[in-house]
């Protein structure tokens, strides 16, 4: 009977639980390091048998330990370890003891099956005479699985030990043998610098001493005639067939077979798979390999290369490594070339890149080999996902004067593409591509066309739209002259991106021309890129309903043709689409996962960084927002693609306005606007314009704000760009609102409200729910502001902060504990600051942060409350919509604005409600924003309060919840 560990423990425990139960004999079988002694110790600690004597017997120890042959007279548990080390006399004695086991007793006998004198018979060559009532069980220990290795690694090394990369390598190299895992983890724990969780660190850690001594003692117990078979296994470094081992060893068929038998008998080798022989612990191969004399080792590697080259499919990487270890550099480099070509053909570009980088970084590579391998590296890096090392290697190689001009031009082309598309170093990439186009014009016209096509791409900062159009004319002519269909498709893919960017009426026709049905993989890759370019442009233009189809088809083609860079860029487009269309559930997590997946290539994740930052703004986590919007320092934001940079700049301007830093916001707006204006692709101003216009208007630069709106309108012309057209209406509304506030004109504010409503309707049509809610909020705020202006008679205009603010003195007798602005509107209709100062909504209130606490002042005149009621309904819609999206900051701001205008609840007794032991609504709002990281000043601006009132509310919230800090509030709410 084969027992699991749990059932064996239960069976032994049962022997002691019932006095009439028969005795139990448990065999514990396991190779070296699997934990036999550990299991015996666990059995010795069985809590079910506290009064049972524990008797240990360690075979072969020679310590004189005695166990009586006669009955023990009381229940006992015999724990026998290392039976494989017992001599014949000790085995005979042990058999007598086990055959005499009586009821109330049990024995556990542990051994290594690979070291038994007679395989399968732990107690010697003759069968045991087991007593009739004796229950005999066998428990075979197994190696740990990856999850168990992961837990052990995390326990020893902490978070760095639990990486999938580290755990996978640990499990592979140790075979999951617990002793080997624990010893290797000890080596990694002691290494300096500290372990960071990479596979390379695991591979470089070496062989634990215990494992090395075990495998070497077994190897050198063999006769010198048999050892080459074990050496061959060490050089092959993986399970191999018998004939392969014999061929690599150099022994003949008969001597080789005899050597394999002796190696298996001595446990120097094992049979991990049927007909496949190697080391029980793969890591042990290195210990043996290091003891093989150098000349012998080189011969073994040479024969190993020959053996592996006959396998199908050929593992060219391994073949190359054996040739190099044998000292044959020519065959090594040829094998590397074949390995890279094979990996690229099957879409494993990253594998090819890593291999070629390592090879080209090696000293002494002949020029002819560099000329063959470097273009292969460049092509894979452009198609796949590059590393920084690729760029460094190529940048050095292109300086080699011995390179043929055509090779150098091709390398420069690919280097320029990587600098621009994958690293975000647009200026450097542009210069390199211009040089490449000139170098290749005479020697490689097809590649010259490719360089020119790259210069057509408009996303990079710097060159204007007209410059890109000029390069398009050259690229089309060069591609047509080349007669290369794949190159024509590459140019067309970039033409699609250019045309779509500025909403060329012919852009959609160009998309239809992409050869999506082509059977040429090169054409399919370019068609996939063209579709994904179109999808990205469609997101920026606002054609959200078309994006899904373009992305689905583009990604399918990219997957089929092996274009991982295109697949990843499509993932960034998808995140932008989800942000604008309100698919926010889980969006932050998806952004962070994408960033983690592209950690060695942060520019590729720039979309994800910006979307994550936009979410943080809406959620009120302003500190995190700035970090995400600045790409967390991975590269300069000035190198972001123009539309993405404009979007990030708009969000940063909004935050700066919310912090009342109006002058800084205006400077940021002017700088960001200059980038878009120089590019001349005006649909890309959509996410910047409303915030930039507001920043200038609030800074008093009305002329500059008007010029922005005028330039935006002229630049758009009649272009079919729905998102930009909605943003233009929004920008005009911002300008109208600020001018009306300055002039104190209710009619101007009502007109601005209508413009905001038009923008909201346009966003609803796209759909863009967050932008719709923001502009709707602005409309409601303008109506309330018009009501306040009318009440004041329009004299002298309206202060930017709006009417009266939250009164410190109105917080009630118990200070912050009684502060509930929702139901405490004073006779004048607003919450007045005890000092008389207004605390308006200069937070970026409503949609764009116009700074008007427009709802301040007294209630609307009794004669016409319909517009006010409509505005309140709009704000209620916004507050709910923001809440549904998860936009905490926006929802809180909208509710704060509502609170200043909603009437007191009917039937409520005079005065403020008591909140002596629970958070008031106002305290809850303040605490929510404080726990998100906002400062008192920022919360005050959001909620139209004074900083002193905010401080009181936070103190009250912390006292009532028991929070120890502002951040701790988030766990207490």
């Amino acid at each position: 009977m084969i027992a699991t560990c749990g059932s064996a423990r239960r069976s032994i425990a049962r022997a002691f639980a019932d006095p009439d139960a028969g005795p139990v004999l448990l065999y514990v079988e396991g190779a070296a390091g699997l934990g036999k002694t550990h299991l015996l110790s666990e059995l010795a600690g069985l809590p079910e048998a506290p009064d049972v004597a524990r008797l240990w017997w360690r075979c072969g120890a020679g310590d004189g330990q005695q166990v009586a042959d006669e009955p023990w007279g009381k229940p006992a548990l015999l724990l026998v370890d290392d039976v494989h080390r017992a001599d014949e006399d000790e085995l005979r004695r042990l058999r007598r003891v086990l055959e005499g086991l009586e009821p109330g007793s049990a024995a556990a006998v542990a051994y290594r099956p690979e070291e038994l004198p007679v395989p399968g018979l732990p107690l010697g060559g003759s069968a045991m005479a087991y007593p009739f009532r004796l229950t005999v069980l066998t428990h075979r220990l197994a190696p740990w699985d990856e999850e168990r290795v992961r837990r052990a690694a995390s326990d020893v090394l902490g978070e760095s030990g639990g990486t999938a990369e580290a755990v996978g390598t640990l499990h592979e190299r140790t075979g999951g043998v617990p002793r080997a895992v624990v010893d290797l983890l000890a080596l990694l724990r002691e290494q300096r610098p500290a372990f960071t969780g990479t596979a390379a660190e695991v591979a470089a850690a070496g062989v634990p001493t215990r494992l090395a001594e075990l495998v070497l003692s077994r190897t050198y117990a063999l006769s010198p005639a048999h050892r080459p078979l074990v050496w061959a296994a060490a050089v092959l470094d993986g399970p191999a067939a018998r004939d392969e081992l014999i061929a690599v060893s150099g022994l003949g068929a008969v001597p080789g077979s005899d050597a394999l038998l002796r190696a298996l008998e001595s446990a120097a080798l094992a049979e991990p798979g049927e007909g496949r022989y190697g080391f029980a612990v793969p890591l042990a191969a290195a210990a043996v390999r290091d003891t093989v004399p150098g000349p012998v080792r080189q011969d073994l590697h040479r024969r190993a290369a020959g053996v592996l080259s006959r396998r199908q499919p050929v593992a060219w990487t391994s073949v190359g490594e054996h040739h190099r270890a044998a000292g044959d550099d020519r065959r090594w480099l040829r094998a590397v070339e074949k390995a890279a070509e094979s990996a690229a053909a099957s879409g494993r570009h990253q594998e090819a890149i890593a291999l070629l980088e390592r090879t080209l970084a090696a000293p002494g590579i002949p020029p002819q080999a560099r000329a063959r391998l470097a273009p292969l590296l460049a092509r894979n890096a452009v198609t796949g996902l590059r590393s920084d090392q690729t760029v460094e290697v190529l940048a050095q190689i292109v300086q080699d004067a011995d390179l043929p001009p055509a090779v150098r031009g091709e390398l420069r082309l690919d280097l320029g593409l990587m600098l621009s598309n994958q690293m975000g170093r647009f200026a450097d990439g542009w210069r390199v591509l211009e040089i490449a186009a000139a170098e290749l014009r005479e020697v490689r016209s097809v590649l010259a066309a490719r360089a020119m096509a790259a210069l057509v791409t408009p996303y990079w900062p710097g060159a204007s739209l007209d410059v890109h159009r000029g390069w398009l004319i050259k690229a089309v002519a060069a591609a047509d002259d080349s007669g290369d269909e794949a190159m024509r498709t590459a140019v067309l893919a970039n033409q699609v991106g250019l045309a779509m960017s500025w909403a060329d009426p012919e852009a959609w026709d160009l998309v239809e021309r992409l050869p999506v049905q082509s059977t040429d993989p090169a054409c399919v890759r370019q068609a996939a890129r063209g579709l994904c370019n179109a999808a990205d442009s469609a997101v920026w233009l606002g054609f959200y309903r078309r994006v899904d189809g373009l992305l689905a088809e583009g990604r399918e083609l990219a997957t089929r043709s092996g274009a991982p860079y295109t697949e990843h860029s499509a993932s960034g487009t998808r995140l932008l689409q989800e942000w604008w269309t309100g698919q926010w559930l889980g969006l932050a997590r998806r952004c962070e996962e994408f960033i983690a997946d592209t950690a060695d290539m942060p520019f590729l994740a720039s979309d994800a960084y910006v979307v994550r930052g936009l979410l943080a703004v809406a959620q009120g986590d302003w500190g995190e927002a700035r970090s995400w919007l600045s790409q967390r320092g991975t590269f300069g934001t000035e190198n972001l693609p123009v539309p993405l940079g404009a979007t990030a700049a708009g969000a940063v301007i909004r935050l700066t306005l919310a912090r009342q830093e109006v002058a800084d916001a205006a400077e940021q707006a002017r700088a960001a606007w200059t980038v878009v204006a120089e590019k001349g692709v005006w649909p890309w101003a959509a996410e910047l314009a409303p915030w930039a216009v507001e920043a200038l208007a609030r800074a008093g630069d009305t002329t500059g704000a008007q010029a922005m709106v005028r330039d935006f309108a002229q630049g758009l012309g009649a272009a079919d760009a729905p998102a930009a057209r909605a943003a233009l209406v929004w920008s005009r509304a911002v300008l109208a609102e600020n001018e009306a506030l300055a002039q104190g004109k209710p009619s101007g504010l009502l007109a601005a409200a209508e413009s905001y409503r038009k923008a909201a309707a346009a966003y609803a049509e796209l759909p863009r729910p967050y932008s719709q809610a923001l502009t709707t909020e602005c409309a409601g705020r303008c109506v309330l502001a018009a009501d306040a202006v009318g009440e004041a008679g329009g004299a002298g205009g309206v202060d930017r902060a709006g009417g009266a603010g939250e009164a410190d003195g109105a917080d009630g007798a118990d200070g912050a504990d009684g502060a509930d602005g929702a139901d405490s509107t004073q006779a004048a209709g607003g919450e007045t600051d005890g000092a008389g100062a207004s605390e308006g909504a200069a937070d970026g209130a409503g949609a764009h942060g116009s700074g008007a606490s427009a709802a301040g002042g007294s209630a609307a005149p009794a004669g016409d409350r319909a517009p006010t009621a409509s505005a309140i309904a709009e704000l209620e819609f916004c507050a709910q919509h923001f809440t549904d999206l998860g936009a905490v900051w926006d929802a809180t701001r909208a509710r704060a604005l509502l609170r200043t205008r909603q009437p007191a609840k009917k039937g409520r007794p005079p005065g403020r409600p008591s909140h002596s032991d629970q958070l008031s609504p106002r305290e809850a709002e303040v605490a929510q924003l404080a726990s998100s990281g906002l400062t008192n000043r920022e919360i005050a601006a959001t909620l139209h309060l004074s900083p002193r009132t905010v401080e009181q509310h936070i103190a009250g919230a912390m006292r009532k919840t028991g929070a120890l800090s502002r951040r701790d509030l988030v766990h207490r709410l």
Side-chain angles (χ1 to χ4, degrees), residues 33 147 397 485 709:
E147 173 56 26
I397 293 175
E485 193 58 35
V709 173

Side-chain angles (χ1 to χ4, degrees), residues 503-527:
D504 184 343
E506 298 180 359
W508 294 108
D509 293 335
L510 292 172
V511 174
E512 294 299 321
R513 286 173 48 193
L514 290 168
V516 295
Q517 302 298 328
S518 175
T519 57
D520 180 356
C523 286
V524 173
R525 276 195 294 272
Q526 298 301 336

Side-chain angles (χ1 to χ4, degrees), residues 946-957:
S946 71
R948 185 162 66 86
T949 300
V950 171
E951 184 178 346
Q952 291 172 338
H953 285 314
I954 292 174

Side-chain angles (χ1 to χ4, degrees), residues 196-365:
T196 61
T198 67
E201 290 172 294
V202 177
V207 184
T209 300
R210 250 188 293 239
L211 175 61
E213 290 181 352
L214 176 66
V215 70
L216 291 175
S217 67
R218 290 174 171 178
T219 298
Y220 286 91
L222 294 168
S223 70
H226 296 148
R227 288 175 200 161
L229 198 289
V230 180
W231 294 346
V235 166
L236 284 170
D237 201 13
R242 179 187 63 175
D243 292 343
E244 290 178 334
L245 281 173
I246 293 173
V248 174
S249 71
L251 301 173
V254 174
S257 296
D258 185 53
L260 178 57
L261 289 173
R262 300 290 83 75
L264 293 170
E265 289 173 359
S266 70
L269 295 181
E271 188 178 7
E274 186 173 358
R276 312 288 292 181
Y277 306 98
F279 293 93
V281 179
L283 186 59
V288 175
R289 195 165 53 245
D290 288 344
T291 66
V292 180
V296 176
R297 189 172 60 249
Q298 283 192 316
D299 289 341
L300 290 166
H301 279 295
R302 177 177 52 79
R303 290 193 290 266
V307 165
L308 294 182
S309 65
R310 292 192 288 273
R311 287 182 179 177
Q312 292 300 324
V314 179
W316 287 112
T317 301
S318 296
V319 171
E321 290 171 353
H322 285 296
H323 279 310
R324 188 182 190 191
D328 192 338
D329 286 351
R330 184 179 64 82
R331 286 193 172 91
W332 163 48
L333 294 171
R334 285 294 184 186
V336 166
E337 188 174 0
K338 290 180 180 179
E341 289 172 345
S342 175
S346 58
R348 304 190 319 274
H349 298 285
Q350 200 62 30
E351 181 182 323
I353 291 168
L355 173 62
L356 291 166
E357 284 179 348
R358 289 196 307 269
T359 304
L360 287 167
I365 303 297

Side-chain angles (χ1 to χ4, degrees), residues 741 785 788-789 797-805 836-842 851-857 944:
L741 284 170
V789 172
V798 176
D799 183 79
R800 290 199 60 79
S838 65
E839 305 288 348
S853 177
H944 316 175

Side-chain angles (χ1 to χ4, degrees), residues 147-498:
E147 173 56 26
R148 184 65 186 85
V149 172
R150 186 196 64 77
R151 295 203 305 270
S154 298
D155 289 343
V156 175
L157 302 174
E159 185 177 345
S160 65
T163 65
E165 176 182 359
V167 170
T169 306
L170 276 166
H171 185 263
E172 176 189 355
R173 300 304 292 154
T174 62
V177 173
R179 182 75 266 167
V181 173
V182 171
D183 287 351
L184 185 54
L185 289 173
L187 290 177
L188 294 170
R189 182 186 58 209
E190 299 303 320
Q191 78 171 27
R192 293 294 179 273
F195 182 68
T196 61
T198 67
E201 290 172 294
V202 177
V207 184
T209 300
R210 250 188 293 239
L211 175 61
E213 290 181 352
L214 176 66
V215 70
L216 291 175
S217 67
R218 290 174 171 178
T219 298
Y220 286 91
L222 294 168
S223 70
H226 296 148
R227 288 175 200 161
L229 198 289
V230 180
W231 294 346
V235 166
L236 284 170
D237 201 13
R242 179 187 63 175
D243 292 343
E244 290 178 334
L245 281 173
I246 293 173
V248 174
S249 71
L251 301 173
V254 174
S257 296
D258 185 53
L260 178 57
L261 289 173
R262 300 290 83 75
L264 293 170
E265 289 173 359
S266 70
L269 295 181
E271 188 178 7
E274 186 173 358
R276 312 288 292 181
Y277 306 98
F279 293 93
V281 179
L283 186 59
V288 175
R289 195 165 53 245
D290 288 344
T291 66
V292 180
V296 176
R297 189 172 60 249
Q298 283 192 316
D299 289 341
L300 290 166
H301 279 295
R302 177 177 52 79
R303 290 193 290 266
V307 165
L308 294 182
S309 65
R310 292 192 288 273
R311 287 182 179 177
Q312 292 300 324
V314 179
W316 287 112
T317 301
S318 296
V319 171
E321 290 171 353
H322 285 296
H323 279 310
R324 188 182 190 191
D328 192 338
D329 286 351
R330 184 179 64 82
R331 286 193 172 91
W332 163 48
L333 294 171
R334 285 294 184 186
V336 166
E337 188 174 0
K338 290 180 180 179
E341 289 172 345
S342 175
S346 58
R348 304 190 319 274
H349 298 285
Q350 200 62 30
E351 181 182 323
I353 291 168
L355 173 62
L356 291 166
E357 284 179 348
R358 289 196 307 269
T359 304
L360 287 167
I365 303 297
Q368 301 90 334
R370 294 173 75 86
R372 291 197 317 271
L373 297 178
L376 191 55
L377 168 62
R379 287 193 292 272
N380 275 280
V382 170
T383 304
L385 303 175
R386 72 93 186 91
S387 71
D388 291 339
Q389 186 178 350
T390 309
V391 172
E392 294 174 7
V393 170
L394 292 180
Q396 292 174 0
I397 293 175
V398 294
Q399 305 301 321
D400 188 347
D402 294 331
L403 282 177
V407 173
R408 183 166 46 252
E410 180 181 358
L411 294 179
R412 206 183 299 276
L413 163 63
D414 290 330
L415 176 61
L417 291 173
M418 281 186 284
L419 288 169
S420 302
N421 295 339
Q422 300 177 15
M423 297 190 70
R425 291 166 54 183
F426 296 119
D428 293 339
W430 183 275
R431 285 192 295 271
V432 171
L433 286 170
E434 284 186 316
I435 296 171
E439 280 182 330
L440 293 166
R441 186 177 292 117
E442 299 300 329
V443 294
R444 297 283 295 278
S445 59
V446 172
L447 294 181
R450 188 176 173 209
M452 295 172 187
L455 295 168
V456 171
T457 303
Y459 288 95
W460 310 338
S464 70
L465 180 60
D466 288 339
V467 171
H468 296 298
R469 287 170 173 161
W471 279 111
L472 175 62
I473 293 170
K474 296 177 183 178
V476 169
D480 288 342
D481 290 344
S482 73
D484 188 295
E485 193 58 35
M487 187 50 59
R488 289 195 183 100
T489 307
V491 173
L492 176 59
N494 285 11
Q495 186 177 4
V496 165
L498 180 64

